Amino acid sequence: GGEGSMQVVGRYEMFGVVESMALVRFAGRQRDSLLLAFRDAKLSVVEWDSAAHDVVTAQLHFYEEESLRRGRVSFDQPPILRVDPLNRCAALLVYETKLIVLPFKHKGADGDLGDDLEEEDGEALAAPPSKKFKTGEAAPSQQSAVVRLGQPADRDSPILPAYVIDLHDAGIKNVGDFTFLEGYFEASVVFLHENRRTWVGRIAVLKNTCQLTALSLNLSQKRHPMIWSASGLPFNCRYLVPVPPPAGGALVVASNIVIYRNHGSRCALKLNDYAVAGGDGNLKYDELGDPVLFDTVHPARLDGYQLAFGLMGGGMYVLNLHVDEDGCTVKRLELERGVLRAAPTVGAASCLTRVGEDHVFLGSRLGDSALLRLDRMGAGDPPPEPREAARAAGG
């Protein structure tokens, strides 16, 4: 690809701290919409209005019901927002134990999901958002602008009425992260949780406390059967990364080890000598040549089964997932040091995201952010100089 650049189109002040965000492409829309989650259980749908050349708020969702709080007034964990990769629904984890599922209208092989949930035929999927108003302005109609739990959906709204899943009833406690799985017929979500907690002072007694639980979301019947689970993972697992099909499954990222799990396969990569093997003791793992402390942010997906990780202390790594001949089973993980050629003012990564085919945006809190171009090295290319390989985003 050629040279790329980014320009500031606008800056907007929010009435709160954005705790989580996600992109979604509603059915019939030509542009993506941005979902923003705020404490304790608020969600905004923001869109770009080409006529006004400005960002507008399409919907406000308010789920701060007393019945969901269970008498508590404060919560340590902020809301976590995730969107299904096929844009079938979004899931918002609030109050640490409540999963709010927001189905989207879409056309599928079996017809319109909105017909099943609302029992209304002929729904106009491509209708414009109802009663938009700019961020910071008062809503023209409080009833039409703010959507509450259990409230019927507007006919023009791309979001159907939400419902709540109590994770305690599903045997899931102390959720650290969750993500949607890819390649499933129904929207499926996997949780990284720790039902029985431990800490570094007790790892001699109890260390493999994290586990995975995958649920299949039947949006029309509002059911969520468990499809697979995995237990005995290290206590310091931090977050999940979905793996694209046909391999599927998810990566569990910790500071000392990276683990791949699916319902039928498993493998791991030991990053340093502090790593502890997870699972039932029979989990085999590959070892990294040079030890590294893997304090990273969520990676950017590259081509195929490749992921780009940015360390919080500076540095870039590329994780390769090697699959077998049929391409359906991950058999080995390999981590390589990436080469980052950037200005000295570029800070360590606070976030990474893919932009188009040939660029990655590196956002930093400690320095300048940067738009990086991806240069793919061939098998015959010479290895980078040590000083270039060590030249990290903030180094």
Side-chain angles (χ1 to χ4, degrees):
E3 296 293 334
S5 63
M6 299 184 70
Q7 297 180 351
V8 178
V9 177
R11 301 179 66 178
Y12 308 95
E13 182 178 355
M14 302 294 175
F15 293 97
V17 178
V18 179
E19 302 290 353
S20 185
M21 65 173 61
L23 281 177
V24 61
R25 178 69 63 90
F26 293 122
R29 302 291 171 84
Q30 300 299 320
R31 290 186 175 92
D32 293 334
S33 299
L34 185 62
L35 306 183
L36 306 176
F38 302 86
R39 284 184 183 265
D40 282 319
K42 293 183 279 290
L43 181 70
S44 298
V45 183
V46 179
E47 298 176 347
W48 176 260
D49 191 336
S50 57
H53 199 68
D54 200 0
V55 170
V56 296
T57 302
Q59 286 185 352
L60 297 174
H61 294 254
F62 187 83
Y63 301 122
E64 297 182 356
E65 308 291 339
E66 290 297 330
S67 59
L68 301 180
R69 289 178 174 269
R70 288 187 172 182
R72 295 179 58 179
V73 296
S74 63
F75 299 85
D76 295 332
Q77 186 183 64
I80 304 176
L81 175 66
R82 299 289 184 264
V83 172
D84 174 65
L86 296 182
N87 294 323
R88 291 172 289 192
C89 67
L92 180 65
L93 178 64
V94 298
Y95 305 129
E96 301 177 357
T97 61
K98 301 297 189 297
L99 186 72
I100 300 177
V101 181
L102 297 92
F104 302 149
K105 293 178 183 177
H106 71 278
K107 285 290 185 180
D110 297 328
D112 188 0
L113 178 61
D115 296 340
D116 298 332
L117 297 183
E118 296 184 290
E119 298 181 356
E120 295 178 357
D121 297 329
E123 198 85 37
L125 297 181
S130 60
K131 300 184 179 181
K132 293 181 179 179
F133 56 96
K134 293 183 180 180
T135 304
E137 296 182 357
S141 173
Q142 186 71 9
Q143 293 181 352
S144 62
V146 179
V147 180
R148 295 178 178 270
L149 194 64
Q151 178 179 336
D154 189 273
R155 291 183 59 88
D156 295 335
S157 172
I159 303 178
L160 298 171
Y163 66 95
V164 181
I165 297 177
D166 192 334
L167 297 182
H168 271 184
D169 296 341
I172 301 174
K173 303 177 182 178
N174 304 320
V175 177
D177 191 19
F178 76 96
T179 187
F180 278 91
L181 296 172
E182 301 185 21
Y184 284 80
F185 178 76
E186 292 184 330
S188 301
V189 63
V190 59
F191 295 89
L192 173 65
H193 58 104
E194 189 180 16
N195 287 0
R196 186 182 178 187
R197 284 181 169 175
T198 187
W199 65 295
V200 293
R202 295 195 70 238
I203 58 175
V205 179
L206 189 64
K207 59 183 179 181
N208 296 329
T209 54
C210 285
Q211 56 190 103
L212 299 178
T213 301
L215 304 179
S216 178
L217 303 181
N218 189 322
L219 301 178
S220 59
Q221 300 296 325
K222 298 182 180 180
R223 298 178 180 177
H224 47 277
M226 186 182 72
I227 52 180
W228 61 271
S229 63
S231 60
L233 301 178
F235 77 99
N236 57 353
C237 295
R238 298 175 54 237
Y239 60 86
L240 297 172
V241 180
V243 177
L251 287 172
V252 185
V253 180
S255 299
N256 308 317
I257 193 171
V258 178
I259 303 171
Y260 169 79
R261 294 302 297 258
N262 202 350
H263 57 83
S265 60
R266 62 178 75 176
C267 61
L269 176 64
K270 178 181 177 181
L271 303 176
N272 53 56
D273 292 336
Y274 293 99
V276 290
D280 55 3
N282 295 323
L283 179 64
K284 298 180 180 179
Y285 53 84
D286 301 304
E287 295 191 15
L288 189 66
D290 297 327
V292 59
L293 184 63
F294 213 52
D295 287 333
T296 68
V297 296
H298 279 265
R301 182 179 295 178
L302 304 180
D303 298 333
Y305 295 108
Q306 288 186 325
L307 298 168
F309 288 85
L311 269 63
M312 296 180 183
M316 295 285 292
Y317 285 86
V318 176
L319 180 68
N320 296 281
L321 283 70
H322 296 275
V323 298
D324 56 9
E325 295 181 355
D326 60 5
C328 298
T329 304
V330 177
K331 61 180 182 179
R332 185 168 61 90
L333 305 178
E334 181 184 13
L335 189 68
E336 298 177 344
R337 183 70 181 260
V339 181
L340 179 61
R341 299 182 178 93
T345 57
V346 176
S350 299
C351 65
L352 281 177
T353 185
R354 184 79 175 267
V355 181
E357 294 294 329
D358 300 313
H359 295 85
V360 170
F361 176 75
L362 184 150
S364 177
R365 297 175 180 173
L366 304 178
D368 293 340
S369 301
L371 181 65
L372 308 176
R373 188 183 71 246
L374 297 174
D375 291 332
R376 298 164 179 82
M377 296 180 60
D381 294 341
E385 295 293 333
R387 62 179 181 87
E388 292 184 341
R391 188 178 181 186

